[in-house]
């Protein structure tokens, strides 16, 4: 099954899931109508029911008490008359009065007990309440696909609005339509090269499929985007290069504010939960508070952090971290570096110095150099990735804040123009919301909601 077929299946699955709800609502409405019809027939056949006295209605507890007391008084009044029919016995007047009053009291007590049983709620002892507490609903954990669907919601909405505006301005598919489509795709951050490539192939595709309705044309556009995205991703490896035997060293680079430190803390938590022995190195000694921030993440993740003094030598911190990881048999070393621009020569030289320190102990390390970019910056993220790739050996990208932007199409541009694999994506603010990038789940989450019923 191709990627577009999977997206189409997910789209049709959602539509089919909506239909049973409509059927259930129709059945409920028909049942209500049927009940109303039955009630009208009954009222027409039995008009006497309307004239039934109100006394036949169920009495309240207070009315029941009054009836029972009246009944007791009637029985007490009738007792002397019934006694005349019986054989005459000599009984003292005082005993008669006491018997009457005792019988009266017994009947009243029985009446009140029966009413109490009907009205009082069963008592629950403190021990029973402690044994059976009220059930607490546990939050349902989201699947990875659900996280992609939720994280790409803003991107889908923005892209869908752009397409609706495009089709509202054109009544037919002509050259002006394709030129406007190019601008729409570029505005959606799918990249210039991708936009040109798509419109060129779409001209022939629309003619071949004889697509005339807006829904048909939009589905063809989505199909071609998926085909380009899939073709450019052949032989792309999105998995992080972890060593099966020995220490895995992962270096994080990028500009300030992209979420490097946060991504390191989240990734450390995941590896720790997987049973790995993880060590963090706070080599960002330039930014104020960067060391303390990583220490806090280390405490949250239950991972040890190697740190130095603020303003100190980052390479010295890395040296201590590598030495500790080697001697204490750590599985993974995650290194946080200072935010740097690709055109700052001194900072880029500092990055090369860190690499040399690592390679003294582990010649093949670092095993990953991950560039962290902010998805909310759109085309600026693409520019950063291109220039960092030219100046240092970047092996993959970490795309953060994808859930907070409508520019998720930048993934298409990065894959199509740079052929640089996205390794990790941030799909939320939670500690478990950093996910290993899955290109198919991303495509389904992005394009599923954009298909139209033809």
């Amino acid at each position: 099954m191709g990627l577009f077929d999977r997206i189409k299946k997910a789209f049709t699955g959602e539509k089919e899931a909506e239909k049973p709800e409509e059927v259930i609502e129709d059945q409920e409405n028909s049942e209500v109508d049927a009940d109303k019809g039955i009630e009208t027939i009954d009222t027409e056949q039995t008009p006497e029911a309307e004239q039934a006295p109100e006394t036949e209605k169920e009495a309240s507890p207070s009315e029941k008490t009054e009836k029972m007391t009246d009944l007791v008084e009637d029985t007490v009044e009738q007792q002397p008359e019934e006694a005349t029919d019986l054989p005459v016995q000599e009984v003292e007047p005082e005993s008669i009065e006491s018997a009457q009053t005792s019988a009266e009291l017994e009947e009243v007590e029985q009446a009140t007990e029966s009413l109490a049983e009907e009205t009082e709620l069963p008592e629950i002892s403190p021990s029973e309440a402690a044994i059976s507490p009220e059930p607490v609903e546990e939050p349902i954990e989201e699947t990875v696909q659900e996280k992609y669907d939720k994280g790409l919601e803003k991107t889908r909405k923005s892209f869908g609005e752009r397409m609706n505006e495009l089709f509202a301005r054109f009544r037919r598919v002509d050259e002006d339509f394709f030129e406007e489509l190019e601008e729409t795709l570029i505005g959606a951050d799918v990249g210039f090269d991708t936009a040109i490539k798509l419109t060129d192939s779409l001209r022939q595709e629309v003619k071949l499929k004889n697509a005339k309705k807006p829904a048909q044309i939009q589905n063809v556009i989505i199909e071609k985007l998926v085909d380009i995205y899939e073709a450019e991703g052949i032989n792309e490896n999105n998995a992080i290069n972890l060593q099966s035997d020995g220490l895995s060293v992962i270096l994080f680079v990028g500009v300030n504010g992209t979420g490097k430190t946060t991504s390191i803390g989240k990734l450390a938590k995941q590896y720790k939960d997987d049973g790995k022995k993880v060590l963090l190195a706070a080599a960002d000694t330039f930014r104020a508070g960067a060391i303390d921030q990583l220490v806090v993440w280390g405490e949250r993740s239950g991972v040890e952090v190697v740190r130095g003094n603020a303003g100190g030598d980052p390479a010295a911190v890395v040296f201590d971290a590598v030495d500790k990881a080697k001697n204490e048999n750590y599985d993974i070393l995650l290194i946080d570096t200072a935010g740097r621009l690709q055109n700052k020569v001194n900072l880029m030289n500092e990055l090369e110095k860190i690499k040399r320190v690592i390679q003294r102990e582990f010649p093949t390390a670092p095993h990953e150099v991950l560039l962290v970019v902010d998805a909310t910056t759109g085309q600026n993220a693409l520019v950063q990735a291109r220039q960092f790739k030219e100046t240092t050996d970047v092996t993959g990208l970490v795309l953060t804040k994808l859930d907070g932007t409508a520019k998720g199409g930048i993934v298409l541009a990065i894959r199509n123009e740079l052929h640089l694999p996205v390794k990790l994506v941030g799909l939320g603010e939670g500690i478990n919301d950093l996910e290993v990038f899955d290109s198919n789940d991303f495509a389904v989450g992005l394009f599923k909601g954009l298909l139209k019923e033809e």
Side-chain angles (χ1 to χ4, degrees):
M1 181 186 292
L3 182 55
F4 182 73
D5 293 332
R6 179 182 167 186
I7 296 170
K8 201 168 183 180
K9 184 179 179 181
F11 171 73
T12 54
E14 280 190 351
K15 293 297 181 183
E16 290 175 359
E18 293 173 359
K19 289 180 180 178
E21 295 179 359
E22 297 175 357
V23 173
I24 291 169
E25 289 178 0
D26 294 339
Q27 289 178 353
E28 290 176 353
N29 294 332
S30 62
E31 288 175 1
V32 171
D33 295 338
D35 293 339
K36 289 180 179 178
I38 292 169
E39 289 175 3
T40 52
I41 291 168
D42 292 341
T43 52
E44 290 175 1
Q45 290 178 353
T46 58
E48 294 84 359
E50 297 177 359
Q51 301 174 357
E54 295 180 357
T55 55
E56 293 182 3
K57 296 180 180 178
E58 187 178 354
S60 63
S62 61
E63 291 175 351
K64 286 183 179 180
T65 308
E66 292 176 1
K67 286 184 179 181
M68 294 301 295
T69 53
D70 293 339
L71 180 61
V72 171
E73 291 175 357
D74 292 341
T75 55
V76 172
E77 290 174 358
Q78 291 174 4
Q79 279 179 357
E81 296 177 359
E82 293 174 357
T84 55
D85 298 334
L86 296 172
V88 179
Q89 296 179 359
E90 294 181 358
V91 183
E92 295 181 0
E94 293 180 359
S95 61
I96 291 171
E97 290 178 1
S98 61
Q100 288 177 354
T101 54
S102 62
E104 187 176 325
L105 291 170
E106 286 178 4
E107 291 186 4
V108 171
E109 287 175 0
Q110 291 176 1
T112 53
E113 286 176 2
S114 62
L115 288 173
E117 289 177 359
E118 292 178 3
T119 56
E120 286 184 1
L121 294 173
E123 295 183 359
I124 299 174
S125 63
S127 60
E128 290 177 350
I131 293 170
S132 57
E134 292 183 1
V136 179
E137 293 184 1
E138 296 182 358
I140 300 173
E141 188 175 351
E142 290 181 322
T143 63
V144 176
Q145 184 61 67
E146 287 172 346
K147 287 183 179 180
Y148 274 100
D149 294 346
K150 187 177 178 181
L152 292 167
E153 182 178 357
K154 291 183 180 180
T155 302
R156 283 197 307 272
K157 184 178 179 181
S158 175
F159 193 87
E161 289 174 353
R162 290 175 183 272
M163 296 302 295
N164 290 336
E165 291 176 4
L166 175 65
F167 288 116
R169 290 197 300 268
F170 290 90
R171 294 181 176 273
R172 59 180 181 176
V173 180
D174 53 12
E175 190 59 33
D176 292 337
F177 172 82
F178 287 113
E179 289 181 3
E180 192 69 23
L181 176 62
E182 285 180 5
E183 295 183 10
T184 300
L185 293 173
I186 293 170
D189 291 292
V190 300
F192 179 79
D193 293 344
T194 304
I196 298 299
K197 189 183 295 185
L198 186 141
T199 50
D200 288 343
S201 62
L202 195 63
R203 285 182 174 88
Q204 299 298 324
E205 194 74 17
V206 170
K207 292 179 182 179
L208 290 173
K209 293 191 174 183
N210 195 23
K212 296 179 180 179
K213 296 180 180 180
Q216 293 175 327
I217 298 170
Q218 180 161 330
N219 288 349
V220 173
I221 293 171
I222 300 304
E223 184 178 0
K224 297 306 295 181
L225 274 174
V226 173
D227 290 343
I228 294 171
Y229 173 78
E230 192 174 18
E232 296 292 342
I234 295 175
N235 298 325
E236 182 179 271
N237 183 14
N238 300 108
I240 294 180
N241 181 24
L242 294 180
Q243 304 300 298
S244 57
D245 185 18
L247 180 68
S248 299
V249 181
I250 302 176
L251 193 64
F252 288 80
V253 299
V255 301
N256 282 329
T258 55
K260 288 193 309 298
T261 307
T262 302
S263 299
I264 292 170
K266 291 180 179 181
L267 191 61
K269 174 69 164 56
Q270 293 181 14
Y271 287 144
K272 177 75 183 304
D273 292 344
D274 291 340
K276 304 287 186 182
K277 191 175 181 181
V278 185
L279 182 65
L280 303 182
D284 184 358
T285 59
F286 296 110
R287 183 170 65 89
I291 298 173
D292 294 335
Q293 184 183 359
L294 191 65
V295 169
V296 170
W297 272 108
E299 292 173 352
R300 291 180 64 183
S301 307
V303 174
E304 192 172 352
V305 180
V306 176
R307 57 182 297 179
N309 296 323
D313 185 5
V317 176
V318 173
F319 176 84
D320 293 339
V322 171
D323 186 63
K324 182 180 180 65
K326 181 181 179 181
N327 295 331
E328 298 182 18
N329 297 320
Y330 278 85
D331 297 317
I332 298 172
L333 173 61
L334 305 178
I335 302 174
D336 185 20
T337 65
R340 66 198 73 231
L341 295 172
Q342 64 284 346
N343 56 1
K344 297 294 183 181
V345 178
N346 293 335
L347 287 175
M348 297 307 291
N349 291 337
E350 187 70 40
L351 193 61
E352 293 300 321
K353 182 180 177 182
I354 291 173
K355 288 182 182 179
R356 289 196 300 271
V357 170
I358 296 171
Q359 290 171 352
R360 287 175 188 172
E361 297 293 337
F362 300 95
T364 59
H367 304 100
E368 290 279 9
V369 179
L370 299 180
L371 172 64
V372 184
V373 293
D374 185 350
T376 61
T377 59
Q379 290 297 312
N380 287 336
L382 181 65
V383 173
Q384 290 175 21
R386 181 183 292 112
Q387 294 181 345
F388 263 97
K389 185 181 178 183
E390 292 173 356
T391 55
T392 189
D393 298 328
V394 176
T395 59
L397 295 179
V398 180
L399 195 62
T400 62
K401 309 175 188 178
L402 194 62
D403 60 308
T405 181
K407 300 179 179 181
I410 192 64
V411 176
L412 303 177
I414 290 172
R415 170 178 276 195
N416 298 339
E417 297 183 23
L418 299 182
H419 300 284
L420 195 61
V422 178
K423 301 278 186 172
L424 299 165
V425 287
L427 298 172
E429 296 180 358
I431 196 168
N432 296 319
D433 290 333
L434 184 71
E435 296 289 343
V436 175
F437 181 72
D438 187 305
S439 59
N440 291 338
D441 286 344
F442 173 84
V444 172
L446 178 60
F447 296 120
K448 175 181 64 176
L450 297 175
L451 292 175
K452 300 285 187 179
E453 290 185 347
E454 298 180 7

